[in-house]
Amino acid sequence: KLKRLYVVTWLLTWYRFVLLHLRKFFARVLQCGELPQHVAIIMDGNRRFATQRGLPKLQGHLFGFDTLLEVLTWCLELGIKEVTLYAFSIENFKRSKEEVDTLMRLALEKLTEAAQQEDWAEVHGTTIKILGATELLPLNVQAAVAKAEEVFNSIHTKGKVQLNICFSYTAREEIVHAMHSLVKEGLKPEQITEKEVEKRLYCPSKPDILLRTSGEWRLSDFLLWQCSHSWFLTTPKLWPEITFFDLFLILLRVQKLQQQQQHQHHETKP
């Protein structure tokens, strides 16, 4: 038994070693081309992942959270500066009370854990913003949101990656919120421009890529203003199934599309 345990441990160590170096190799391949600075993701498929495996829905969301952390780590390794994730739509409040309460408890637990990871944030230089109508969240979740943002945004090694989590969010509410801000500030109609609107959006920066998992081709009211010129891609994989290699192929595909676009642009020049 001890010998078998030793062999299994050795194999796992070797597997992790090979995987790490493969990731470094694939990262170098991508860095030969133009890397996106901002990637937005609709994390779809947690519930289906659980249902297909006969698990409670909560387990699907837990697996999804683990994937979130892995994807953030991969983006750090690749040098992607900003990641925006669609975690919870305002429309999700229409789900059963049991599921909503479960998701709020999970959010409270994970945000509380995040607020205790100051050392991790310091090492990785990660800052966090929770974007959306957070006033719709339970008071204890609102407090956890504020605490997590305070911890991550007070670190001294900022600048490596900005993580935006859209929670209690829809793009239509975001745009309405921006309009309300313009009215409250007393701007005249002729003063209202695209730039003025963008300044008041929850997420003012524009993603280079919008990725949706689970094979769906819907925007689901996510970053409608910001993604007007983003590459929109989808993968049949459910969110908890996503691997580094999936992300590598998606980014490689976008680089190819960018090269084709640049080639066509040069051909149409007089």
Side-chain angles (χ1 to χ4, degrees):
K1 287 184 179 179
L2 286 174
K3 186 177 180 181
R4 186 180 300 172
L5 181 61
Y6 172 79
V7 171
V8 170
T9 304
W10 183 84
L11 287 172
L12 285 172
T13 303
W14 178 250
Y15 171 76
R16 292 192 188 101
F17 174 81
V18 171
L19 196 61
L20 176 62
H21 283 271
L22 277 174
R23 275 164 42 183
K24 287 182 178 179
F25 170 75
F26 289 135
R28 288 196 186 100
V29 170
L30 288 173
Q31 286 161 2
C32 292
E34 184 180 350
L35 273 171
Q37 294 300 297
H38 184 181
V39 174
I41 305 174
I42 301 175
M43 305 181 294
D44 194 15
N46 289 341
R47 295 192 298 171
R48 269 174 281 177
F49 179 84
T51 301
Q52 289 174 5
R53 290 157 179 79
L55 299 171
K57 290 176 183 177
L58 174 60
Q59 286 299 117
H61 293 300
L62 287 170
F63 279 114
F65 182 79
D66 291 340
T67 302
L68 184 159
L69 294 178
E70 287 184 336
V71 169
L72 181 59
T73 301
W74 301 336
C75 289
L76 278 164
E77 291 174 3
L78 291 169
I80 294 169
K81 299 294 184 183
E82 188 168 2
V83 181
T84 301
L85 304 173
Y86 201 4
F88 188 85
S89 166
I90 292 174
E91 297 295 319
N92 292 153
F93 282 113
K94 296 177 182 178
R95 293 180 180 179
S96 70
K97 184 178 183 303
E98 180 185 2
E99 184 174 359
V100 172
D101 288 346
T102 298
L103 288 171
M104 291 300 114
R105 285 196 299 272
L106 178 61
L108 178 62
E109 176 188 331
K110 296 304 180 183
L111 287 166
T112 303
E113 287 179 9
Q116 297 169 354
Q117 300 299 317
E118 190 170 358
D119 291 343
W120 188 93
E122 188 83 33
V123 169
H124 292 89
T126 305
T127 52
I128 287 181
K129 286 183 182 177
I130 309 297
L131 310 179
T134 53
E135 67 276 8
L136 300 178
L137 298 170
L139 292 177
N140 57 353
V141 178
Q142 290 184 41
V145 164
K147 181 62 177 175
E149 288 185 325
E150 178 188 351
V151 168
F152 274 76
N153 298 338
S154 63
I155 60 176
H156 304 296
T157 55
K158 294 180 182 179
K160 289 186 180 179
V161 64
Q162 169 69 46
L163 174 62
N164 305 315
I165 301 177
C166 294
F167 198 79
S168 185
Y169 171 93
T170 62
R172 287 172 298 168
E173 191 280 331
E174 177 183 32
I175 295 169
V176 170
H177 178 270
M179 296 299 109
H180 285 175
S181 297
L182 290 167
V183 172
K184 286 178 183 177
E185 293 169 31
L187 270 74
K188 296 177 182 179
E190 61 271 18
Q191 295 176 304
I192 299 175
T193 63
E194 286 187 18
K195 286 187 177 179
E196 291 298 327
V197 174
E198 285 171 1
K199 287 178 187 176
R200 292 157 180 83
L201 295 173
Y202 297 133
C203 182
S205 66
K206 299 176 181 179
D208 303 294
I209 299 171
L210 172 58
L211 169 65
R212 179 166 189 152
T213 56
S214 83
E216 298 286 345
W217 287 94
R218 293 180 292 111
L219 293 172
S220 295
D221 212 349
F222 180 54
L223 301 181
L224 299 181
W225 181 288
Q226 296 90 332
C227 288
S228 57
H229 292 91
S230 305
W231 295 102
F232 181 28
L233 294 95
T234 185
T235 172
K237 291 280 192 76
L238 303 177
W239 174 246
E241 297 173 332
I242 289 293
T243 65
F244 179 87
F245 190 63
D246 294 318
L247 183 62
F248 167 76
L249 289 176
I250 288 162
L251 296 177
L252 196 64
R253 183 179 171 193
V254 169
Q255 287 184 341
K256 185 176 180 181
L257 289 169
Q258 288 172 330
Q259 289 171 357
Q260 290 174 349
Q261 186 182 58
Q262 290 167 1
H263 182 68
Q264 290 170 358
H265 178 71
H266 289 312
E267 283 187 338
T268 55
K269 273 189 175 181

